[in-house]
Amino acid sequence: MKASSFFLGLAVGAVGSAAAVLLSAPQSGKELRLSVKSTSDDMKLKMEDVKEKASELKDSVKHLADEAKARFPEMKDGLMDSIDEWNRGTETNRDRIQKRIEQIQTSISELESAVAATQKK
């Protein structure tokens, strides 16, 4: 839903409800006209305030989007650098762990052979 549609609906609802209240109230013609004029003036002020706040919101969203566009490449580069550094830092451990796994597999194979030889006897 777009913000402009929301605010338009809000304004139409406010005007409609104000009109319904004014027309259903038991007042004289003069009182009703004064009341309508006063409500109309109040609605104009409120609509101007809503427009101003919508404009401020639009500006804030634009600023936030611009800021995100500017910072995203920096964050991406920093993240990629961190990943590369982590990979370099863990490479020696990976090699050591891989060698240890190979030793364990060799030991397991030798143990299996020894167990098989003992069971044949």
Side-chain angles (χ1 to χ4, degrees):
M1 178 194 312
K2 291 185 177 179
S4 60
S5 298
F6 172 76
F7 289 120
L8 179 62
L10 182 68
V12 169
V15 169
S17 62
V21 167
L22 289 175
L23 295 175
S24 65
Q27 296 175 337
S28 70
K30 185 176 182 178
E31 290 174 339
L32 181 60
R33 284 189 297 275
L34 288 175
S35 180
V36 167
K37 181 169 178 15
S38 172
T39 303
S40 172
D41 292 341
D42 288 345
M43 289 303 294
K44 285 178 185 177
L45 291 174
K46 288 179 182 178
M47 286 303 297
E48 287 175 10
D49 188 43
V50 166
K51 283 181 184 179
E52 183 179 324
K53 296 223 189 268
S55 178
E56 289 173 5
L57 178 63
K58 179 183 171 185
D59 292 342
S60 295
V61 168
K62 184 177 181 335
H63 176 72
L64 180 62
D66 291 344
E67 187 77 20
K69 284 179 188 177
R71 293 196 182 233
F72 182 75
E74 294 171 16
M75 287 180 18
K76 182 185 129 215
D77 292 342
L79 184 59
M80 294 302 287
D81 291 343
S82 295
I83 290 171
D84 289 342
E85 184 179 329
W86 182 80
N87 281 332
R88 284 190 302 275
T90 59
E91 188 172 351
T92 56
N93 289 336
R94 281 190 308 226
D95 292 342
R96 192 183 62 188
I97 290 170
Q98 184 64 33
K99 287 177 184 175
R100 186 67 180 140
I101 289 172
E102 290 171 3
Q103 290 173 349
I104 291 171
Q105 288 173 339
T106 303
S107 297
I108 290 173
S109 296
E110 290 172 358
L111 186 59
E112 287 174 344
S113 298
V115 170
T118 346
Q119 288 177 348
K120 288 183 181 179
K121 290 183 178 180

